[in-house]
PDB file of all heavy atoms in Angstrom:
ATOM      1  N   VAL O  14     158.112  66.715 140.556  1.00  0.00           N
ATOM      2  CA  VAL O  14     157.184  67.699 141.083  1.00  0.00           C
ATOM      3  C   VAL O  14     157.974  68.594 142.029  1.00  0.00           C
ATOM      4  O   VAL O  14     158.502  68.121 143.031  1.00  0.00           O
ATOM      5  CB  VAL O  14     156.019  67.014 141.829  1.00  0.00           C
ATOM      6  CG1 VAL O  14     155.119  68.044 142.463  1.00  0.00           C
ATOM      7  CG2 VAL O  14     155.255  66.113 140.884  1.00  0.00           C
ATOM      8  N   TYR O  15     158.059  69.861 141.704  1.00  0.00           N
ATOM      9  CA  TYR O  15     158.791  70.792 142.559  1.00  0.00           C
ATOM     10  C   TYR O  15     157.824  71.417 143.543  1.00  0.00           C
ATOM     11  O   TYR O  15     156.954  72.174 143.167  1.00  0.00           O
ATOM     12  CB  TYR O  15     159.477  71.871 141.716  1.00  0.00           C
ATOM     13  CG  TYR O  15     160.538  71.323 140.798  1.00  0.00           C
ATOM     14  CD1 TYR O  15     160.628  71.738 139.485  1.00  0.00           C
ATOM     15  CD2 TYR O  15     161.453  70.384 141.251  1.00  0.00           C
ATOM     16  CE1 TYR O  15     161.612  71.243 138.645  1.00  0.00           C
ATOM     17  CE2 TYR O  15     162.435  69.883 140.415  1.00  0.00           C
ATOM     18  CZ  TYR O  15     162.502  70.320 139.118  1.00  0.00           C
ATOM     19  OH  TYR O  15     163.479  69.820 138.302  1.00  0.00           O
ATOM     20  N   ARG O  16     157.972  71.071 144.793  1.00  0.00           N
ATOM     21  CA  ARG O  16     157.080  71.625 145.810  1.00  0.00           C
ATOM     22  C   ARG O  16     157.796  72.586 146.748  1.00  0.00           C
ATOM     23  O   ARG O  16     157.162  73.272 147.526  1.00  0.00           O
ATOM     24  CB  ARG O  16     156.394  70.517 146.597  1.00  0.00           C
ATOM     25  CG  ARG O  16     157.306  69.649 147.417  1.00  0.00           C
ATOM     26  CD  ARG O  16     156.475  68.630 148.203  1.00  0.00           C
ATOM     27  NE  ARG O  16     157.259  67.835 149.098  1.00  0.00           N
ATOM     28  CZ  ARG O  16     157.636  68.217 150.316  1.00  0.00           C
ATOM     29  NH1 ARG O  16     157.290  69.403 150.768  1.00  0.00           N
ATOM     30  NH2 ARG O  16     158.359  67.417 151.071  1.00  0.00           N
ATOM     31  N   LEU O  17     159.136  72.632 146.660  1.00  0.00           N
ATOM     32  CA  LEU O  17     159.890  73.578 147.474  1.00  0.00           C
ATOM     33  C   LEU O  17     160.098  74.864 146.686  1.00  0.00           C
ATOM     34  O   LEU O  17     160.350  74.828 145.487  1.00  0.00           O
ATOM     35  CB  LEU O  17     161.241  72.974 147.866  1.00  0.00           C
ATOM     36  CG  LEU O  17     161.173  71.701 148.728  1.00  0.00           C
ATOM     37  CD1 LEU O  17     162.560  71.115 148.917  1.00  0.00           C
ATOM     38  CD2 LEU O  17     160.535  71.999 150.066  1.00  0.00           C
ATOM     39  N   SER O  18     159.994  75.988 147.371  1.00  0.00           N
ATOM     40  CA  SER O  18     160.161  77.280 146.699  1.00  0.00           C
ATOM     41  C   SER O  18     161.324  78.045 147.322  1.00  0.00           C
ATOM     42  O   SER O  18     161.939  77.589 148.289  1.00  0.00           O
ATOM     43  CB  SER O  18     158.875  78.110 146.815  1.00  0.00           C
ATOM     44  OG  SER O  18     158.703  78.548 148.154  1.00  0.00           O
ATOM     45  N   ALA O  19     161.595  79.207 146.786  1.00  0.00           N
ATOM     46  CA  ALA O  19     162.697  80.033 147.284  1.00  0.00           C
ATOM     47  C   ALA O  19     162.459  80.493 148.723  1.00  0.00           C
ATOM     48  O   ALA O  19     163.410  80.862 149.414  1.00  0.00           O
ATOM     49  CB  ALA O  19     162.893  81.246 146.376  1.00  0.00           C
ATOM     50  N   THR O  20     161.233  80.415 149.194  1.00  0.00           N
ATOM     51  CA  THR O  20     160.957  80.815 150.578  1.00  0.00           C
ATOM     52  C   THR O  20     161.220  79.697 151.578  1.00  0.00           C
ATOM     53  O   THR O  20     161.259  79.948 152.776  1.00  0.00           O
ATOM     54  CB  THR O  20     159.503  81.302 150.737  1.00  0.00           C
ATOM     55  OG1 THR O  20     158.619  80.240 150.378  1.00  0.00           O
ATOM     56  CG2 THR O  20     159.235  82.520 149.866  1.00  0.00           C
ATOM     57  N   ASP O  21     161.402  78.468 151.092  1.00  0.00           N
ATOM     58  CA  ASP O  21     161.740  77.346 151.973  1.00  0.00           C
ATOM     59  C   ASP O  21     163.237  77.394 152.259  1.00  0.00           C
ATOM     60  O   ASP O  21     164.051  77.426 151.342  1.00  0.00           O
ATOM     61  CB  ASP O  21     161.367  76.011 151.322  1.00  0.00           C
ATOM     62  CG  ASP O  21     159.870  75.840 151.180  1.00  0.00           C
ATOM     63  OD1 ASP O  21     159.169  76.022 152.191  1.00  0.00           O
ATOM     64  OD2 ASP O  21     159.415  75.540 150.072  1.00  0.00           O
ATOM     65  N   ARG O  22     163.585  77.400 153.542  1.00  0.00           N
ATOM     66  CA  ARG O  22     164.971  77.601 153.935  1.00  0.00           C
ATOM     67  C   ARG O  22     165.524  76.389 154.695  1.00  0.00           C
ATOM     68  O   ARG O  22     164.794  75.689 155.403  1.00  0.00           O
ATOM     69  CB  ARG O  22     165.109  78.837 154.842  1.00  0.00           C
ATOM     70  CG  ARG O  22     164.453  80.113 154.319  1.00  0.00           C
ATOM     71  CD  ARG O  22     164.749  80.437 152.878  1.00  0.00           C
ATOM     72  NE  ARG O  22     166.085  80.930 152.657  1.00  0.00           N
ATOM     73  CZ  ARG O  22     166.569  81.241 151.465  1.00  0.00           C
ATOM     74  NH1 ARG O  22     165.827  81.128 150.382  1.00  0.00           N
ATOM     75  NH2 ARG O  22     167.791  81.664 151.343  1.00  0.00           N
ATOM     76  N   CYS O  23     166.806  76.163 154.556  1.00  0.00           N
ATOM     77  CA  CYS O  23     167.515  75.069 155.226  1.00  0.00           C
ATOM     78  C   CYS O  23     167.462  75.263 156.744  1.00  0.00           C
ATOM     79  O   CYS O  23     167.734  76.360 157.245  1.00  0.00           O
ATOM     80  CB  CYS O  23     168.974  75.042 154.750  1.00  0.00           C
ATOM     81  SG  CYS O  23     170.002  73.808 155.576  1.00  0.00           S
ATOM     82  N   ASP O  24     167.108  74.209 157.464  1.00  0.00           N
ATOM     83  CA  ASP O  24     167.053  74.271 158.920  1.00  0.00           C
ATOM     84  C   ASP O  24     168.442  74.385 159.542  1.00  0.00           C
ATOM     85  O   ASP O  24     168.563  74.778 160.702  1.00  0.00           O
ATOM     86  CB  ASP O  24     166.345  73.030 159.476  1.00  0.00           C
ATOM     87  CG  ASP O  24     164.852  73.020 159.159  1.00  0.00           C
ATOM     88  OD1 ASP O  24     164.263  74.107 159.015  1.00  0.00           O
ATOM     89  OD2 ASP O  24     164.292  71.919 159.040  1.00  0.00           O
ATOM     90  N   SER O  25     169.490  74.054 158.798  1.00  0.00           N
ATOM     91  CA  SER O  25     170.848  74.124 159.340  1.00  0.00           C
ATOM     92  C   SER O  25     171.509  75.478 159.127  1.00  0.00           C
ATOM     93  O   SER O  25     172.170  75.989 160.016  1.00  0.00           O
ATOM     94  CB  SER O  25     171.736  73.044 158.713  1.00  0.00           C
ATOM     95  OG  SER O  25     171.335  71.773 159.141  1.00  0.00           O
ATOM     96  N   CYS O  26     171.341  76.060 157.915  1.00  0.00           N
ATOM     97  CA  CYS O  26     172.112  77.269 157.614  1.00  0.00           C
ATOM     98  C   CYS O  26     171.288  78.424 157.046  1.00  0.00           C
ATOM     99  O   CYS O  26     171.812  79.519 156.893  1.00  0.00           O
ATOM    100  CB  CYS O  26     173.245  76.941 156.647  1.00  0.00           C
ATOM    101  SG  CYS O  26     172.684  76.489 154.993  1.00  0.00           S
ATOM    102  N   GLY O  27     170.033  78.184 156.683  1.00  0.00           N
ATOM    103  CA  GLY O  27     169.195  79.262 156.167  1.00  0.00           C
ATOM    104  C   GLY O  27     169.242  79.451 154.661  1.00  0.00           C
ATOM    105  O   GLY O  27     168.552  80.313 154.127  1.00  0.00           O
ATOM    106  N   ALA O  28     170.044  78.656 153.946  1.00  0.00           N
ATOM    107  CA  ALA O  28     170.089  78.739 152.484  1.00  0.00           C
ATOM    108  C   ALA O  28     168.793  78.156 151.907  1.00  0.00           C
ATOM    109  O   ALA O  28     168.002  77.531 152.626  1.00  0.00           O
ATOM    110  CB  ALA O  28     171.293  77.972 151.949  1.00  0.00           C
ATOM    111  N   GLN O  29     168.576  78.332 150.610  1.00  0.00           N
ATOM    112  CA  GLN O  29     167.377  77.791 149.986  1.00  0.00           C
ATOM    113  C   GLN O  29     167.349  76.269 150.122  1.00  0.00           C
ATOM    114  O   GLN O  29     168.345  75.587 149.894  1.00  0.00           O
ATOM    115  CB  GLN O  29     167.314  78.159 148.504  1.00  0.00           C
ATOM    116  CG  GLN O  29     166.033  77.680 147.844  1.00  0.00           C
ATOM    117  CD  GLN O  29     165.872  78.162 146.419  1.00  0.00           C
ATOM    118  OE1 GLN O  29     166.580  79.070 145.983  1.00  0.00           O
ATOM    119  NE2 GLN O  29     164.944  77.572 145.699  1.00  0.00           N
ATOM    120  N   ALA O  30     166.198  75.729 150.509  1.00  0.00           N
ATOM    121  CA  ALA O  30     166.041  74.293 150.706  1.00  0.00           C
ATOM    122  C   ALA O  30     165.752  73.580 149.390  1.00  0.00           C
ATOM    123  O   ALA O  30     164.947  74.057 148.584  1.00  0.00           O
ATOM    124  CB  ALA O  30     164.933  74.015 151.696  1.00  0.00           C
ATOM    125  N   TYR O  31     166.420  72.467 149.179  1.00  0.00           N
ATOM    126  CA  TYR O  31     166.187  71.603 148.019  1.00  0.00           C
ATOM    127  C   TYR O  31     165.863  70.170 148.443  1.00  0.00           C
ATOM    128  O   TYR O  31     165.579  69.336 147.601  1.00  0.00           O
ATOM    129  CB  TYR O  31     167.419  71.586 147.105  1.00  0.00           C
ATOM    130  CG  TYR O  31     167.603  72.888 146.370  1.00  0.00           C
ATOM    131  CD1 TYR O  31     168.453  73.865 146.862  1.00  0.00           C
ATOM    132  CD2 TYR O  31     166.913  73.146 145.195  1.00  0.00           C
ATOM    133  CE1 TYR O  31     168.623  75.065 146.193  1.00  0.00           C
ATOM    134  CE2 TYR O  31     167.071  74.335 144.521  1.00  0.00           C
ATOM    135  CZ  TYR O  31     167.923  75.295 145.021  1.00  0.00           C
ATOM    136  OH  TYR O  31     168.070  76.487 144.359  1.00  0.00           O
ATOM    137  N   VAL O  32     165.922  69.887 149.736  1.00  0.00           N
ATOM    138  CA  VAL O  32     165.637  68.550 150.254  1.00  0.00           C
ATOM    139  C   VAL O  32     164.674  68.687 151.425  1.00  0.00           C
ATOM    140  O   VAL O  32     164.851  69.549 152.291  1.00  0.00           O
ATOM    141  CB  VAL O  32     166.934  67.851 150.735  1.00  0.00           C
ATOM    142  CG1 VAL O  32     166.622  66.519 151.399  1.00  0.00           C
ATOM    143  CG2 VAL O  32     167.911  67.673 149.588  1.00  0.00           C
ATOM    144  N   ALA O  33     163.640  67.838 151.435  1.00  0.00           N
ATOM    145  CA  ALA O  33     162.696  67.780 152.551  1.00  0.00           C
ATOM    146  C   ALA O  33     162.639  66.343 153.038  1.00  0.00           C
ATOM    147  O   ALA O  33     162.504  65.415 152.245  1.00  0.00           O
ATOM    148  CB  ALA O  33     161.317  68.252 152.111  1.00  0.00           C
ATOM    149  N   ALA O  34     162.738  66.172 154.348  1.00  0.00           N
ATOM    150  CA  ALA O  34     162.651  64.846 154.957  1.00  0.00           C
ATOM    151  C   ALA O  34     161.622  64.906 156.077  1.00  0.00           C
ATOM    152  O   ALA O  34     161.612  65.861 156.861  1.00  0.00           O
ATOM    153  CB  ALA O  34     164.000  64.425 155.520  1.00  0.00           C
ATOM    154  N   GLU O  35     160.755  63.905 156.137  1.00  0.00           N
ATOM    155  CA  GLU O  35     159.797  63.834 157.233  1.00  0.00           C
ATOM    156  C   GLU O  35     160.301  62.826 158.252  1.00  0.00           C
ATOM    157  O   GLU O  35     160.554  61.667 157.925  1.00  0.00           O
ATOM    158  CB  GLU O  35     158.420  63.424 156.734  1.00  0.00           C
ATOM    159  CG  GLU O  35     157.378  63.502 157.825  1.00  0.00           C
ATOM    160  CD  GLU O  35     155.977  63.237 157.335  1.00  0.00           C
ATOM    161  OE1 GLU O  35     155.686  63.515 156.170  1.00  0.00           O
ATOM    162  OE2 GLU O  35     155.183  62.718 158.144  1.00  0.00           O
ATOM    163  N   VAL O  36     160.462  63.292 159.480  1.00  0.00           N
ATOM    164  CA  VAL O  36     160.955  62.456 160.568  1.00  0.00           C
ATOM    165  C   VAL O  36     160.043  62.666 161.774  1.00  0.00           C
ATOM    166  O   VAL O  36     159.855  63.804 162.223  1.00  0.00           O
ATOM    167  CB  VAL O  36     162.412  62.814 160.940  1.00  0.00           C
ATOM    168  CG1 VAL O  36     162.900  61.964 162.099  1.00  0.00           C
ATOM    169  CG2 VAL O  36     163.333  62.661 159.734  1.00  0.00           C
ATOM    170  N   ASN O  37     159.460  61.585 162.271  1.00  0.00           N
ATOM    171  CA  ASN O  37     158.570  61.646 163.440  1.00  0.00           C
ATOM    172  C   ASN O  37     157.457  62.672 163.265  1.00  0.00           C
ATOM    173  O   ASN O  37     157.116  63.400 164.193  1.00  0.00           O
ATOM    174  CB  ASN O  37     159.358  61.942 164.718  1.00  0.00           C
ATOM    175  CG  ASN O  37     160.309  60.840 165.071  1.00  0.00           C
ATOM    176  OD1 ASN O  37     160.049  59.673 164.797  1.00  0.00           O
ATOM    177  ND2 ASN O  37     161.441  61.184 165.670  1.00  0.00           N
ATOM    178  N   GLY O  38     156.911  62.784 162.068  1.00  0.00           N
ATOM    179  CA  GLY O  38     155.803  63.691 161.808  1.00  0.00           C
ATOM    180  C   GLY O  38     156.200  65.138 161.573  1.00  0.00           C
ATOM    181  O   GLY O  38     155.349  65.984 161.344  1.00  0.00           O
ATOM    182  N   SER O  39     157.473  65.447 161.637  1.00  0.00           N
ATOM    183  CA  SER O  39     157.958  66.810 161.399  1.00  0.00           C
ATOM    184  C   SER O  39     158.748  66.861 160.104  1.00  0.00           C
ATOM    185  O   SER O  39     159.498  65.937 159.789  1.00  0.00           O
ATOM    186  CB  SER O  39     158.864  67.274 162.543  1.00  0.00           C
ATOM    187  OG  SER O  39     158.144  67.329 163.745  1.00  0.00           O
ATOM    188  N   GLU O  40     158.594  67.950 159.372  1.00  0.00           N
ATOM    189  CA  GLU O  40     159.344  68.113 158.131  1.00  0.00           C
ATOM    190  C   GLU O  40     160.626  68.881 158.407  1.00  0.00           C
ATOM    191  O   GLU O  40     160.602  69.947 159.022  1.00  0.00           O
ATOM    192  CB  GLU O  40     158.513  68.855 157.086  1.00  0.00           C
ATOM    193  CG  GLU O  40     159.216  68.956 155.744  1.00  0.00           C
ATOM    194  CD  GLU O  40     158.349  69.568 154.671  1.00  0.00           C
ATOM    195  OE1 GLU O  40     157.932  70.727 154.852  1.00  0.00           O
ATOM    196  OE2 GLU O  40     158.113  68.888 153.671  1.00  0.00           O
ATOM    197  N   LEU O  41     161.727  68.329 157.950  1.00  0.00           N
ATOM    198  CA  LEU O  41     163.026  68.984 158.044  1.00  0.00           C
ATOM    199  C   LEU O  41     163.430  69.410 156.642  1.00  0.00           C
ATOM    200  O   LEU O  41     163.305  68.637 155.693  1.00  0.00           O
ATOM    201  CB  LEU O  41     164.073  68.023 158.610  1.00  0.00           C
ATOM    202  CG  LEU O  41     163.783  67.456 159.991  1.00  0.00           C
ATOM    203  CD1 LEU O  41     164.811  66.385 160.349  1.00  0.00           C
ATOM    204  CD2 LEU O  41     163.782  68.557 161.027  1.00  0.00           C
ATOM    205  N   LEU O  42     163.909  70.632 156.501  1.00  0.00           N
ATOM    206  CA  LEU O  42     164.326  71.166 155.203  1.00  0.00           C
ATOM    207  C   LEU O  42     165.826  71.396 155.209  1.00  0.00           C
ATOM    208  O   LEU O  42     166.387  71.888 156.195  1.00  0.00           O
ATOM    209  CB  LEU O  42     163.598  72.478 154.911  1.00  0.00           C
ATOM    210  CG  LEU O  42     162.076  72.406 154.852  1.00  0.00           C
ATOM    211  CD1 LEU O  42     161.487  73.804 154.644  1.00  0.00           C
ATOM    212  CD2 LEU O  42     161.613  71.454 153.781  1.00  0.00           C
ATOM    213  N   PHE O  43     166.465  71.056 154.081  1.00  0.00           N
ATOM    214  CA  PHE O  43     167.914  71.216 153.982  1.00  0.00           C
ATOM    215  C   PHE O  43     168.308  71.758 152.614  1.00  0.00           C
ATOM    216  O   PHE O  43     167.684  71.435 151.601  1.00  0.00           O
ATOM    217  CB  PHE O  43     168.629  69.875 154.195  1.00  0.00           C
ATOM    218  CG  PHE O  43     168.443  69.326 155.574  1.00  0.00           C
ATOM    219  CD1 PHE O  43     167.538  68.312 155.817  1.00  0.00           C
ATOM    220  CD2 PHE O  43     169.162  69.833 156.647  1.00  0.00           C
ATOM    221  CE1 PHE O  43     167.340  67.807 157.084  1.00  0.00           C
ATOM    222  CE2 PHE O  43     168.982  69.330 157.922  1.00  0.00           C
ATOM    223  CZ  PHE O  43     168.074  68.316 158.142  1.00  0.00           C
ATOM    224  N   CYS O  44     169.378  72.533 152.579  1.00  0.00           N
ATOM    225  CA  CYS O  44     169.992  72.936 151.321  1.00  0.00           C
ATOM    226  C   CYS O  44     170.651  71.697 150.715  1.00  0.00           C
ATOM    227  O   CYS O  44     170.703  70.634 151.343  1.00  0.00           O
ATOM    228  CB  CYS O  44     171.037  74.032 151.566  1.00  0.00           C
ATOM    229  SG  CYS O  44     172.426  73.511 152.592  1.00  0.00           S
ATOM    230  N   ALA O  45     171.162  71.809 149.506  1.00  0.00           N
ATOM    231  CA  ALA O  45     171.787  70.658 148.854  1.00  0.00           C
ATOM    232  C   ALA O  45     172.981  70.145 149.672  1.00  0.00           C
ATOM    233  O   ALA O  45     173.146  68.937 149.851  1.00  0.00           O
ATOM    234  CB  ALA O  45     172.232  71.026 147.440  1.00  0.00           C
ATOM    235  N   HIS O  46     173.786  71.059 150.200  1.00  0.00           N
ATOM    236  CA  HIS O  46     174.978  70.672 150.969  1.00  0.00           C
ATOM    237  C   HIS O  46     174.598  69.869 152.211  1.00  0.00           C
ATOM    238  O   HIS O  46     175.120  68.780 152.441  1.00  0.00           O
ATOM    239  CB  HIS O  46     175.765  71.925 151.365  1.00  0.00           C
ATOM    240  CG  HIS O  46     176.774  71.684 152.447  1.00  0.00           C
ATOM    241  ND1 HIS O  46     177.988  71.091 152.203  1.00  0.00           N
ATOM    242  CD2 HIS O  46     176.735  71.924 153.780  1.00  0.00           C
ATOM    243  CE1 HIS O  46     178.662  70.997 153.347  1.00  0.00           C
ATOM    244  NE2 HIS O  46     177.922  71.490 154.311  1.00  0.00           N
ATOM    245  N   HIS O  47     173.700  70.395 153.019  1.00  0.00           N
ATOM    246  CA  HIS O  47     173.326  69.704 154.249  1.00  0.00           C
ATOM    247  C   HIS O  47     172.460  68.475 153.972  1.00  0.00           C
ATOM    248  O   HIS O  47     172.511  67.504 154.721  1.00  0.00           O
ATOM    249  CB  HIS O  47     172.645  70.669 155.223  1.00  0.00           C
ATOM    250  CG  HIS O  47     173.608  71.604 155.866  1.00  0.00           C
ATOM    251  ND1 HIS O  47     173.667  72.941 155.560  1.00  0.00           N
ATOM    252  CD2 HIS O  47     174.596  71.361 156.774  1.00  0.00           C
ATOM    253  CE1 HIS O  47     174.641  73.503 156.269  1.00  0.00           C
ATOM    254  NE2 HIS O  47     175.222  72.564 157.005  1.00  0.00           N
TER     255      HIS O  47
END
Side-chain angles (χ1 to χ4, degrees):
V14 176
Y15 296 135
R16 64 177 185 83
L17 298 174
S18 71
T20 60
D21 293 309
R22 310 313 286 178
C23 176
D24 290 332
S25 291
C26 68
Q29 183 174 346
Y31 289 96
V32 174
E35 187 174 331
V36 178
N37 295 328
S39 297
E40 184 174 60
L41 301 173
L42 300 176
F43 295 102
C44 63
H46 164 78
H47 286 108

